[in-house]
Amino acid sequence: MAVDPRGRRALRERRERGTAATAGLDVWDGKERRVQTTEPSLVPSIQRTPVTAAAARPISPRQRLGISPSSISSGGATTFPFDSAAAGSSRLLMSPSPSLPPPLPATGRLLVLYASQTGNAMDAAERVGREAERGGCPAVDVLSMDSFDPSCLPGERSVVFVVSTTGQGDPPDSMKGFWRYLRKKELGARWLEGLRYAVFGLGDSGYQKYNFAAKKIDRRLLQLGAEQIIKIGLGNDQESSGYEGALDPWLLSLWRSLNQENLSLLPRISDIINPSLNNLGDSKIEVVYYSSDDAPQDFIVSDSKKLIERARTMSPALKFHNDGEPQYMLKMVTNQRLTKEDSEKDVRHFELENPSSAISYQVGDALEILPSQDPSAVNAFIECCNLDPDCYIMIRAKGGDEVSKCSLVNGMMDRMKLKTFVALTMDVTSASPRRYFFEIMSYFATAEHEKERLQYFASPEGREDLYKYNQKESRTVLEVLEDFPSVHMPFEWLVQLTPPLKKRAFSISSSPLAHPNQIHLTVSVVSWLTPFKRARHGLCSTWLAGLSPNEEKLIPCWIHKGSLPPPHPSVPLVLIGPGTGCAPFRAFVEERAAQSVREPTAPVLFFFGCRNEDNDFLYKDLWLKHTQDKGVLSPKEGGGLFVAFSRDQPQKVYVQHKIKEQSARVWNLLCSGAAIYVAGSSTKMPADVTAALEEVVRQKGGEAASGWLGKLERAGKFNIETWS
């Protein structure tokens, strides 16, 4: 099951935007493609002379606080996250250093703070920054919330917050520390007097707590004395043009309101409202090329872990948002299809093994996997760039920080083969590019009809047509470049604008007590047809399904704490996991069974659901085995297995119906201190299950249902993990 391993939420972005995962599906799962033949006439070229390095600049304490020197000078330049000197590129403690001076008033600066889980909010925030810069704003800083010290907020004058909501109303990880600070009781109602702000939220109305994180921060800022510039904007993934359908008019209103308040803040506001696509700014990075002849033989890196870490550290989009080298390089030892061959769903059971040692993890944890891209597609992309795949490159911020410390000692250490860099960091085979990608493409189109089409796509008028062409059809970066052959975008821009290759997270479906050197996964292999009947495939799930057991290919893996905390053996459990939502509960049952051998354990009720008993009753034999004798699901031990086959009878039956049927058992276990765990699709299931539990509490206990479940949630005993 694909999950977000951090907090009680799901990695839930929609497939077509590179933002959705379903049970067992790839997180940030773009779509695979059929590689088209590229013209052989493109002649690869190598820049053999390194570009002169820009002068290095140390990061000042004020920048470390998220306060750029440009905000206290007369004409600073915009600092975007692609700049290595940007404060958004480093994580900071949420309390200021006592040795630093208080920040100077930022009257001429527009500060844009974003909280993003999968990248959409960051994209929207960067657009805010670009448009402000285009309008002549003296200083613009675009920063992640976790890189700005919230105690400095009263020193700001104009702040735009761009916030996404994850899972069941949860804030992104980067917002949590910031939000904790804002909730401090000692912050009074006048703490933010003089601050004017605007909030734009990114959410999905398919969830109960739609845009909850953005609404929370908007209310809290008002409570602390800040003043709204304009009303909160709410972007909705369910809309035909995604969140941009709400962002476009909201931004126009924002710029007009700011201009009315302070004419000097946006002296060229007309350039925002009526943008000209004739002036291209500079890219934020530079690429230095080296011939393959310049790389000594001993420079070749044989350690796959180190190679992955170096490539992803070099990437502007990933440099400060990666977890270092993979913790494990695991081997596929079992690749078993759980559903019938003729079933429309292909659900796999994977067993990954570390041959050399045990793997350190807990039940409820998530495994993140870095998938491999199709080598032929990577080669085709490099050919589109007219570059030599065997040349070496070095990437750094233009006019920014400097090359890394390693390169100051040994210039070869920061060089990497171009093909390796693309394969490990740039998602050219699955993720769809953003609207800004098309805008930049238009500057490099030499065919007039292509230029006009790209400019139309980049305009507000072309937003819906772009959505149909790009997101709905799940176009990849490579496909877009092939559709506009006159465009030869410099590699510097492609590095900056191509969606980064993201790790995919999956619930672990095994217990370390039962499998100390293995991790098991339950994964649904993603495939679908676009509106124009083009076959699309999930990158990671399809790659995993294609691996043969015990082949030499190793899988780069990281383990993260999951959103379902491991229960104590003495705590009774009510587990509700239809479909591949059963993945973490397979681990829970295995763990409870191993614990019962050496100590008394509490009973477990498990509610499972699927379409048909014959086609997709996942792990049927395992569950039935644990219902026998003294098994953890045995009715004799107070446990039970209850399965809803939704399509095996005329009237559909789901897990919520089984919960109501077993209301007495559920209520008795709740009275014994049971914890409730729910995992599965985010559409209707969580709300229906919650309603069924509330009905059980009302009927059996006469309690205020919502209050009862709320107390369980606050006590850490009501946990939901969902995805869309």
Side-chain angles (χ1 to χ4, degrees), residues 377-393:
V378 172
N379 287 336
F381 171 79
I382 294 172
E383 191 170 352
C384 279
C385 301
N386 207 25
L387 292 170
D388 177 2
D390 295 320
C391 76
Y392 284 77
I393 61 171

Side-chain angles (χ1 to χ4, degrees), residues 36 111 208 215 231 298 358 415 504 618 661 715:
Q36 302 175 13
L111 176 62
Q208 283 183 298
K215 294 173 183 176
K231 289 184 178 180
D298 59 3
R415 300 185 192 180
R504 275 65 166 170
L618 308 180
E661 287 178 11

Side-chain angles (χ1 to χ4, degrees), residues 42-245:
L42 293 175
V43 181
S45 61
I46 304 175
Q47 182 176 339
R48 297 183 179 272
T49 306
V51 177
T52 304
R57 293 186 309 193
I59 299 178
S60 70
R62 201 170 292 278
Q63 285 172 301
R64 291 290 184 199
L65 280 175
I67 300 171
S68 160
S70 63
S71 67
I72 56 173
S73 63
S74 58
T78 305
T79 304
F80 289 112
F82 293 116
D83 289 298
S84 58
S89 64
S90 59
R91 291 184 177 269
L92 304 175
L93 297 176
M94 288 296 101
S95 58
S97 169
S99 62
L100 295 176
L104 297 179
T107 55
R109 169 166 89 151
L110 179 66
L111 176 62
V112 184
L113 296 177
Y114 65 86
S116 184
Q117 194 65 36
T118 54
N120 277 347
M122 184 180 74
D123 287 338
E126 288 170 3
R127 179 181 166 190
V128 175
R130 287 194 303 270
E131 291 196 6
E133 184 183 38
R134 183 183 293 164
C137 186
V140 185
D141 286 306
V142 181
L143 309 173
S144 177
M145 271 189 201
D146 59 357
S147 64
F148 180 82
D149 190 326
S151 69
C152 295
L153 203 54
E156 299 297 329
R157 292 296 172 264
S158 302
V159 183
V160 178
F161 296 87
V162 184
V163 179
S164 65
T165 296
T166 68
Q168 302 302 303
D170 299 303
D173 290 343
S174 58
M175 178 178 161
K176 289 178 178 177
F178 191 93
W179 178 243
R180 280 194 300 270
Y181 190 94
L182 290 189
R183 293 183 64 193
K184 285 186 174 183
K185 293 180 180 179
E186 59 266 30
L187 302 181
R190 301 183 62 182
W191 186 63
L192 291 180
E193 270 192 358
L195 173 70
R196 302 191 75 231
Y197 76 93
V199 176
F200 186 83
L202 290 82
D204 187 323
S205 59
Y207 286 78
Q208 283 183 298
K209 295 184 177 180
Y210 168 57
N211 264 312
F212 193 64
K215 294 173 183 176
K216 277 199 312 185
I217 200 168
D218 181 56
R219 285 194 301 268
R220 184 56 178 157
L221 292 169
L222 280 173
Q223 291 170 358
L224 295 173
E227 179 186 355
Q228 280 185 332
I229 301 170
I230 57 171
K231 289 184 178 180
I232 185 173
L234 300 177
N236 186 2
D237 267 354
Q238 295 287 344
E239 294 296 330
S240 61
S241 53
Y243 70 84
E244 288 188 327

Side-chain angles (χ1 to χ4, degrees), residues 277-297:
L277 294 181
N278 296 322
N279 298 315
L280 174 66
D282 293 331
S283 67
K284 303 298 179 181
I285 62 152
E286 60 181 348
V287 180
V288 184
Y289 299 88
Y290 301 89
S291 165
S292 56
D293 298 335
D294 296 335
Q297 288 300 312

Side-chain angles (χ1 to χ4, degrees), residues 10 38 48 106 108 134 155 157 203 233 239 301-302 326 360 365 392 403 419 446 487 508 591 656 663 688-689:
T38 11
R48 297 183 179 272
R134 183 183 293 164
R157 292 296 172 264
E239 294 296 330
V301 178
S302 57
S360 178
D365 283 352
Y392 284 77
V403 292
K419 182 178 180 179
T446 55
V487 175
I508 294 176
E591 182 102 337
Q656 60 267 26
S663 58
D688 290 342
V689 165

